[in-house]
Amino acid sequence: MPMMPDRLTETGTCRSTARGFHKRALWLSSGAALLALALMGSLEAARPSAGSLLNERLGCAACHGMDGIALSEEIPNLAGQDRSYLIRQLEAFVSSDPEAELKAGGTERYHSAMDAATRKLSYREREDLADFYAGLSCVPRGDLDPGSAPKAAQACAQCHGAFGINIEPGVPNLAGQKVDYLIAQLRAFRASLLGTDPFRVEQERFHQKMASQAHSLTDEDIERIAAYRSEEHTSELQSHVRISYA
């Protein structure tokens, strides 16, 4: 008489087979999940940042460039600029008082075009723009001899670094900055203490330390400082490359 199949054994075998099937299914689903996460990461990396979209949508790129390299000598490059410095300047434009008397502390920073543009931004949008520009790069040359700096520019190294790269957060990088822009800013700082400047057109700027440094500078000093600092960059400005200056 043939033996009856052991129902427990069959059940056990089915259970074991099912368990093996679930293990394979789990392995396959885990692999698919990892692949999906990798694809999502790639898509996220390729997706334009909020700051990049703002740069284009708000018209910032029309002056400061799609890659943070300004299209005019009178407009600053923003690529690779210090994040906290950028946020502080945007806030200064927002809180500026164009009617304030031109004197020490009258208004921290005013520019007719920037004043109008920044008042439209929320704090989050200002942060997004700062993140975007700080993440771009304006690569310094790093081969200039600090000893060759004009005498008037040597004091700048205490905060802005020997090669124009800031020593601490909140201080702007000067390496590779536009000559005409640097000249205009130094004249604005000087004017904030002297109370007058024939080159002042549509902007005011005050910073206690910078004003005290600039008030004794001649036009020739200012032009030499600006020319030297603007030379501290590579011949080819690279964008969208995050580099370390350390």
Side-chain angles (χ1 to χ4, degrees):
M1 180 176 179
M3 296 181 61
M4 297 294 293
D6 187 340
R7 304 297 298 177
L8 292 177
T9 301
E10 286 183 356
T11 304
T13 301
C14 289
R15 187 180 296 123
S16 176
T17 302
R19 187 176 298 149
F21 171 78
H22 287 308
K23 285 183 179 179
R24 288 194 296 273
L26 180 61
W27 181 85
L28 289 172
S29 61
S30 298
L34 289 174
L35 178 60
L37 287 174
L39 289 174
M40 288 174 65
S42 298
L43 290 173
E44 187 66 27
R47 182 178 300 146
S49 67
S52 175
L53 294 173
L54 284 170
N55 181 51
E56 186 173 1
R57 178 170 63 82
L58 299 178
C60 309
C63 295
H64 295 288
M66 291 294 292
D67 56 0
I69 304 302
L71 307 180
S72 166
E73 288 299 316
E74 298 177 350
I75 297 172
N77 295 328
L78 300 181
Q81 190 54 271
D82 181 82
R83 178 184 185 273
S84 56
Y85 169 76
L86 289 173
I87 291 176
R88 181 70 199 108
Q89 298 313 298
L90 289 170
E91 291 177 344
F93 284 127
V94 170
S95 61
S96 67
D97 180 5
E99 301 302 324
E101 183 181 353
L102 182 60
K103 62 181 180 180
T107 191
E108 183 175 353
R109 190 165 192 182
Y110 169 75
H111 187 283
S112 57
M114 287 300 300
D115 178 72
T118 53
R119 290 182 187 276
K120 305 173 184 176
L121 301 174
S122 66
Y123 182 77
R124 177 58 183 273
E125 288 175 327
R126 296 197 291 272
E127 283 193 321
D128 288 339
L129 280 171
D131 286 336
F132 168 67
Y133 290 125
L136 302 177
S137 178
C138 179
V139 185
R141 266 172 51 177
D143 61 352
L144 292 180
D145 179 5
S148 67
K151 184 177 180 179
Q154 292 174 7
C156 308
Q158 297 175 10
C159 299
H160 299 284
F163 295 104
I165 303 302
N166 69 356
I167 293 176
E168 58 184 48
V171 177
N173 299 323
L174 301 181
Q177 192 53 272
K178 302 287 189 177
V179 174
D180 290 351
Y181 170 75
L182 290 175
I183 289 174
Q185 300 317 297
L186 286 170
R187 285 174 173 164
F189 285 129
R190 182 179 64 181
S192 69
L193 285 187
L194 298 180
T196 181
D197 191 327
F199 299 98
R200 175 176 171 250
V201 179
E202 57 178 7
Q203 64 176 313
E204 298 174 18
R205 192 168 187 184
F206 175 76
H207 183 278
Q208 185 66 53
K209 188 168 186 177
M210 284 303 304
S212 63
Q213 291 286 338
H215 86 281
S216 61
L217 295 177
T218 65
D219 287 342
E220 185 177 4
D221 289 334
I222 288 175
E223 289 170 4
R224 286 179 176 174
I225 293 172
Y228 176 77
R229 290 303 180 187
S230 70
E231 284 298 311
E232 295 174 316
H233 66 93
T234 52
S235 58
E236 180 181 359
L237 293 173
Q238 302 175 28
S239 62
H240 303 289
V241 179
R242 186 64 173 173
I243 65 171
S244 172
Y245 292 107

